[in-house]
Amino acid sequence: MSISVDIQNDVALITMDDGKANAVNFDLMIALNKALDKAEADAKAIVLTGREGRFSGGFDLGMMGGFTREDSVRLLDRASELVLRLYGGPMPVVGACNGHAIAMGVFLLMACDTRIGATGDFKLGANESITGMTLPVFAVELARDRLSPLHQTRAMIQAFIYEPKGAVEAGYLDMLVEPDKVVGQATAIAGQLAKLPGHAYAYQKSAMRKPALDAIRASIGNHPNLRKMA
């Protein structure tokens, strides 16, 4: 997993690129947390993006094939902590979704404050009901907070996978631009957000999202439905 950080004009551009699907595993989360450390130290806003055509395809299922229950708990705990850092952290975070975002990939996207998507033949959504996995608490809380109530059943229970225009309607994305403009638009928005008083932004973000953040924190180390995961 290669994760780069480029800081310009108080905006940290964090790019995930493993040359494949940007699968979420322990290595990615360690590298992403290090990138966030640098961003929080040296910037005032963050843009999180993936490689061309792919934001993230979700958890690394190949890695999970040999997991014990303890391994699965550890994975969900680290993922919960990463979601808390993005969704509840003090800095503005803009997601630049330049392609597909599936399962854990779309949850990382939903944890960003503003989500810019690319037009094109891309798929976004949560496929857990298709793959036989149960939704972790952070996924349920993000869906309640970010998705349109009209789409929550279709998206999270029935595992409907959206194209970009439908993803805006559902609430996975906030706006669409051409693929070659995604990072530029996200960076411009992040630059605007970086000018807001940081203490006020941090308080408002934490206060508005407190019920979801509290529920996610309480779930760490406590995953009663894990035995039902495929």
Side-chain angles (χ1 to χ4, degrees):
M1 168 54 62
S2 171
I3 293 186
S4 63
V5 185
D6 180 23
I7 299 178
Q8 297 185 33
N9 300 318
D10 290 328
V11 175
L13 174 62
I14 299 177
T15 303
M16 306 178 289
D17 187 359
D18 66 358
K20 297 177 287 186
N22 283 346
V24 177
N25 51 33
F26 290 113
D27 289 341
L28 180 144
M29 290 189 284
I30 290 170
L32 185 50
N33 274 302
K34 289 180 179 178
L36 291 171
D37 288 342
K38 181 171 179 58
E40 290 172 1
D42 299 330
K44 295 181 180 178
I46 296 166
V47 173
L48 178 63
T49 191
R51 57 192 297 267
E52 183 178 354
R54 181 79 67 171
F55 186 76
S56 171
F59 279 132
D60 187 342
L61 298 182
M63 172 195 69
M64 294 170 65
F67 266 19
T68 64
R69 190 181 192 284
E70 289 71 23
D71 293 329
S72 297
V73 168
R74 187 162 62 97
L75 181 69
L76 289 182
D77 283 351
R78 299 295 85 77
S80 299
E81 290 163 357
L82 181 57
V83 167
L84 284 171
R85 189 168 190 182
L86 293 170
Y87 199 53
M91 293 176 61
V93 183
V94 180
C97 183
N98 35 13
H100 304 292
I102 299 294
M104 185 62 200
V106 89
F107 301 136
L108 288 178
L109 181 64
M110 292 167 73
C112 298
D113 299 339
T114 301
R115 294 82 39 92
I116 314 301
T119 58
D121 187 20
F122 300 121
K123 299 181 186 303
L124 299 94
N127 64 352
E128 279 75 5
S129 288
I130 295 171
T131 59
M133 300 177 73
T134 54
L135 290 168
V137 169
F138 62 76
V140 174
E141 295 299 327
L142 286 172
R144 286 175 175 158
D145 262 12
R146 307 309 304 270
L147 295 186
S148 163
L150 297 176
H151 284 265
Q152 289 181 11
T153 292
R154 194 179 194 201
M156 305 305 291
I157 300 173
Q158 298 172 348
F160 185 81
I161 304 300
Y162 295 80
E163 42 75 40
K165 185 177 179 181
V168 173
E169 181 180 337
Y172 283 123
L173 295 170
D174 295 300
M175 66 182 75
L176 296 178
V177 296
E178 294 297 316
D180 62 346
K181 294 181 172 62
V182 171
V183 172
Q185 179 71 12
T187 301
I189 291 173
Q192 295 170 353
L193 295 174
K195 297 176 182 178
L196 297 175
H199 69 282
Y201 193 95
Y203 176 81
Q204 265 75 273
K205 187 172 172 178
S206 176
M208 288 296 297
R209 297 172 177 174
K210 186 177 187 302
L213 296 172
D214 286 349
I216 297 169
R217 289 190 189 97
S219 75
I220 295 175
N222 178 31
H223 305 283
N225 294 324
L226 186 60
R227 65 186 183 278
K228 300 178 183 178
M229 293 180 65

